[in-house]
Amino acid sequence: MPSSHRERERLIRALAGSQHGIVDHEQLRELGFAAKTIYARTKAQLLVRVFHGVYLVPPHPLTRDARETAALRSCGPESAIGFRSAAARDKLLIWDGPVEVIVPTHHRRQPGLHPRTFPLKRWDVSVVDGLRRTTKARTLADLPTVLSPGEIERVVHEAEFRKQLVDVSVSRAIERAGPRRNTPALEAALARRRRLVGSLDSDPERRFARFLGERGYPPTEHNVPFLLGGGEVRLDVLFRSQWLGIEVDGDPHKSERQFHADRQRDLRFDAEHGLTVVRVTEPQIDDVPDDLDTLLWRALLRRDPDLRRAAPSFNRPIARKHL
């Protein structure tokens, strides 16, 4: 135990610095702080209570890492960040609610902290940035407990786009997790998800891929390499069966020089590969998605009329009055 006040102060700063600014009551006692001293420090705002028995040491900010570290310190060494908190870390959804933690035994809820009691195997837990959290597969298996079927569908699409889905791992995690509310909705979403072939290299490309998945388009490939004009280029999206290309134009394509370069490239695709390229802009995706939907289906149906017969397999009907 440190013998001097100065040494204790140095150690508490070092400990907080290694734990995103967080220390707990037991650690403070080990450093030689009496219970009444800890209480006095909270009154003086030298310690800021986050959860029961867990404190933030100023001037550290209460970041997401700090809140989740505090949650784990409060719930014990066998706990793990899970559910929407873990999914938000994987960028599958946005979550600014209470920290959701999986615990092996019952813990009382606190403001800003929701423990949930479920069994966890060691292979369902990983350590990322020093924080115990459920693996990507286990997180997906648990989300039906807290999400609606529509939200589950969107999360599955996002996981596919971010290449976080491994069928075998997710299936095993679902089996280990046991029955959950809306688990059938998760299994159905996994079965009908739009598989990503290739990569999505920009935010506009990801939004367009999400647009295609939500509206039931036929399979596509992304960032497909082509030889063009003696060199290799990549096409943002290819409907290979319909032989139609899509370029998703973001801010870099707005200059006059780039505009003409893009059209020259489109002509080369047509001349060298017989491939028509349609250009899609961010405002079309964000502001007039229904109009964009109509135009794309018209272009696809001209190349592949059989798509009309495949319409029942899509999420929305094709034979609409404006086609």
PDB file of all heavy atoms in Angstrom, residues 302-314:
ATOM      1  N   ARG A 302     -35.349  -3.295 -69.806  1.00  0.00           N
ATOM      2  CA  ARG A 302     -35.051  -3.254 -71.235  1.00  0.00           C
ATOM      3  C   ARG A 302     -34.015  -4.305 -71.599  1.00  0.00           C
ATOM      4  O   ARG A 302     -34.038  -4.860 -72.693  1.00  0.00           O
ATOM      5  CB  ARG A 302     -34.543  -1.864 -71.634  1.00  0.00           C
ATOM      6  CG  ARG A 302     -35.641  -0.838 -71.848  1.00  0.00           C
ATOM      7  CD  ARG A 302     -35.150   0.347 -72.656  1.00  0.00           C
ATOM      8  NE  ARG A 302     -34.046   1.034 -72.008  1.00  0.00           N
ATOM      9  CZ  ARG A 302     -34.207   2.016 -71.120  1.00  0.00           C
ATOM     10  NH1 ARG A 302     -35.428   2.419 -70.789  1.00  0.00           N
ATOM     11  NH2 ARG A 302     -33.153   2.595 -70.587  1.00  0.00           N
ATOM     12  N   ARG A 303     -33.110  -4.587 -70.670  1.00  0.00           N
ATOM     13  CA  ARG A 303     -32.047  -5.557 -70.948  1.00  0.00           C
ATOM     14  C   ARG A 303     -32.464  -6.974 -70.580  1.00  0.00           C
ATOM     15  O   ARG A 303     -31.912  -7.939 -71.108  1.00  0.00           O
ATOM     16  CB  ARG A 303     -30.786  -5.168 -70.159  1.00  0.00           C
ATOM     17  CG  ARG A 303     -30.114  -3.940 -70.731  1.00  0.00           C
ATOM     18  CD  ARG A 303     -29.220  -3.232 -69.730  1.00  0.00           C
ATOM     19  NE  ARG A 303     -28.578  -2.086 -70.358  1.00  0.00           N
ATOM     20  CZ  ARG A 303     -29.203  -0.933 -70.593  1.00  0.00           C
ATOM     21  NH1 ARG A 303     -30.471  -0.774 -70.234  1.00  0.00           N
ATOM     22  NH2 ARG A 303     -28.562   0.061 -71.181  1.00  0.00           N
ATOM     23  N   ASP A 304     -33.386  -7.123 -69.680  1.00  0.00           N
ATOM     24  CA  ASP A 304     -33.775  -8.456 -69.206  1.00  0.00           C
ATOM     25  C   ASP A 304     -35.262  -8.472 -68.867  1.00  0.00           C
ATOM     26  O   ASP A 304     -35.649  -8.351 -67.699  1.00  0.00           O
ATOM     27  CB  ASP A 304     -32.943  -8.816 -67.974  1.00  0.00           C
ATOM     28  CG  ASP A 304     -33.165 -10.255 -67.507  1.00  0.00           C
ATOM     29  OD1 ASP A 304     -33.949 -10.965 -68.156  1.00  0.00           O
ATOM     30  OD2 ASP A 304     -32.549 -10.643 -66.489  1.00  0.00           O
ATOM     31  N   PRO A 305     -36.128  -8.625 -69.882  1.00  0.00           N
ATOM     32  CA  PRO A 305     -37.571  -8.646 -69.632  1.00  0.00           C
ATOM     33  C   PRO A 305     -37.998  -9.764 -68.676  1.00  0.00           C
ATOM     34  O   PRO A 305     -39.060  -9.681 -68.052  1.00  0.00           O
ATOM     35  CB  PRO A 305     -38.174  -8.837 -71.022  1.00  0.00           C
ATOM     36  CG  PRO A 305     -37.118  -8.349 -71.965  1.00  0.00           C
ATOM     37  CD  PRO A 305     -35.817  -8.709 -71.317  1.00  0.00           C
ATOM     38  N   ASP A 306     -37.171 -10.815 -68.572  1.00  0.00           N
ATOM     39  CA  ASP A 306     -37.524 -11.925 -67.677  1.00  0.00           C
ATOM     40  C   ASP A 306     -37.596 -11.489 -66.214  1.00  0.00           C
ATOM     41  O   ASP A 306     -38.145 -12.209 -65.377  1.00  0.00           O
ATOM     42  CB  ASP A 306     -36.506 -13.057 -67.804  1.00  0.00           C
ATOM     43  CG  ASP A 306     -36.657 -13.807 -69.126  1.00  0.00           C
ATOM     44  OD1 ASP A 306     -37.711 -13.626 -69.779  1.00  0.00           O
ATOM     45  OD2 ASP A 306     -35.734 -14.540 -69.490  1.00  0.00           O
ATOM     46  N   LEU A 307     -37.035 -10.336 -65.901  1.00  0.00           N
ATOM     47  CA  LEU A 307     -37.122  -9.851 -64.516  1.00  0.00           C
ATOM     48  C   LEU A 307     -38.568  -9.670 -64.078  1.00  0.00           C
ATOM     49  O   LEU A 307     -38.873  -9.761 -62.888  1.00  0.00           O
ATOM     50  CB  LEU A 307     -36.377  -8.524 -64.361  1.00  0.00           C
ATOM     51  CG  LEU A 307     -34.851  -8.599 -64.283  1.00  0.00           C
ATOM     52  CD1 LEU A 307     -34.268  -7.198 -64.193  1.00  0.00           C
ATOM     53  CD2 LEU A 307     -34.402  -9.433 -63.095  1.00  0.00           C
ATOM     54  N   ARG A 308     -39.463  -9.415 -65.024  1.00  0.00           N
ATOM     55  CA  ARG A 308     -40.876  -9.266 -64.661  1.00  0.00           C
ATOM     56  C   ARG A 308     -41.408 -10.555 -64.054  1.00  0.00           C
ATOM     57  O   ARG A 308     -42.187 -10.542 -63.115  1.00  0.00           O
ATOM     58  CB  ARG A 308     -41.706  -8.881 -65.882  1.00  0.00           C
ATOM     59  CG  ARG A 308     -41.448  -7.470 -66.371  1.00  0.00           C
ATOM     60  CD  ARG A 308     -42.458  -7.096 -67.458  1.00  0.00           C
ATOM     61  NE  ARG A 308     -42.170  -5.756 -67.960  1.00  0.00           N
ATOM     62  CZ  ARG A 308     -42.588  -4.638 -67.401  1.00  0.00           C
ATOM     63  NH1 ARG A 308     -43.309  -4.701 -66.300  1.00  0.00           N
ATOM     64  NH2 ARG A 308     -42.291  -3.458 -67.916  1.00  0.00           N
ATOM     65  N   ARG A 309     -40.987 -11.692 -64.629  1.00  0.00           N
ATOM     66  CA  ARG A 309     -41.463 -12.980 -64.106  1.00  0.00           C
ATOM     67  C   ARG A 309     -40.825 -13.289 -62.752  1.00  0.00           C
ATOM     68  O   ARG A 309     -41.354 -14.066 -61.980  1.00  0.00           O
ATOM     69  CB  ARG A 309     -41.154 -14.092 -65.108  1.00  0.00           C
ATOM     70  CG  ARG A 309     -41.960 -13.977 -66.409  1.00  0.00           C
ATOM     71  CD  ARG A 309     -41.938 -15.286 -67.176  1.00  0.00           C
ATOM     72  NE  ARG A 309     -40.606 -15.602 -67.689  1.00  0.00           N
ATOM     73  CZ  ARG A 309     -40.148 -15.183 -68.865  1.00  0.00           C
ATOM     74  NH1 ARG A 309     -40.897 -14.400 -69.631  1.00  0.00           N
ATOM     75  NH2 ARG A 309     -38.949 -15.516 -69.284  1.00  0.00           N
ATOM     76  N   ALA A 310     -39.660 -12.676 -62.498  1.00  0.00           N
ATOM     77  CA  ALA A 310     -38.988 -12.907 -61.212  1.00  0.00           C
ATOM     78  C   ALA A 310     -39.483 -11.968 -60.124  1.00  0.00           C
ATOM     79  O   ALA A 310     -39.056 -12.057 -58.976  1.00  0.00           O
ATOM     80  CB  ALA A 310     -37.476 -12.745 -61.372  1.00  0.00           C
ATOM     81  N   ALA A 311     -40.406 -11.089 -60.475  1.00  0.00           N
ATOM     82  CA  ALA A 311     -40.850 -10.065 -59.534  1.00  0.00           C
ATOM     83  C   ALA A 311     -41.298 -10.602 -58.174  1.00  0.00           C
ATOM     84  O   ALA A 311     -41.010  -9.979 -57.166  1.00  0.00           O
ATOM     85  CB  ALA A 311     -41.977  -9.235 -60.158  1.00  0.00           C
ATOM     86  N   PRO A 312     -42.012 -11.730 -58.068  1.00  0.00           N
ATOM     87  CA  PRO A 312     -42.441 -12.183 -56.737  1.00  0.00           C
ATOM     88  C   PRO A 312     -41.297 -12.432 -55.770  1.00  0.00           C
ATOM     89  O   PRO A 312     -41.499 -12.445 -54.562  1.00  0.00           O
ATOM     90  CB  PRO A 312     -43.200 -13.482 -57.042  1.00  0.00           C
ATOM     91  CG  PRO A 312     -43.685 -13.297 -58.447  1.00  0.00           C
ATOM     92  CD  PRO A 312     -42.585 -12.547 -59.128  1.00  0.00           C
ATOM     93  N   SER A 313     -40.076 -12.642 -56.255  1.00  0.00           N
ATOM     94  CA  SER A 313     -38.952 -12.875 -55.351  1.00  0.00           C
ATOM     95  C   SER A 313     -38.357 -11.586 -54.817  1.00  0.00           C
ATOM     96  O   SER A 313     -37.491 -11.608 -53.965  1.00  0.00           O
ATOM     97  CB  SER A 313     -37.846 -13.664 -56.068  1.00  0.00           C
ATOM     98  OG  SER A 313     -37.270 -12.872 -57.100  1.00  0.00           O
ATOM     99  N   PHE A 314     -38.835 -10.440 -55.323  1.00  0.00           N
ATOM    100  CA  PHE A 314     -38.321  -9.170 -54.865  1.00  0.00           C
ATOM    101  C   PHE A 314     -39.147  -8.665 -53.693  1.00  0.00           C
ATOM    102  O   PHE A 314     -40.269  -9.090 -53.461  1.00  0.00           O
ATOM    103  CB  PHE A 314     -38.342  -8.121 -55.984  1.00  0.00           C
ATOM    104  CG  PHE A 314     -37.475  -8.490 -57.158  1.00  0.00           C
ATOM    105  CD1 PHE A 314     -37.848  -8.165 -58.453  1.00  0.00           C
ATOM    106  CD2 PHE A 314     -36.287  -9.163 -56.965  1.00  0.00           C
ATOM    107  CE1 PHE A 314     -37.043  -8.502 -59.521  1.00  0.00           C
ATOM    108  CE2 PHE A 314     -35.471  -9.498 -58.034  1.00  0.00           C
ATOM    109  CZ  PHE A 314     -35.856  -9.169 -59.318  1.00  0.00           C
TER     110      PHE A 314
END
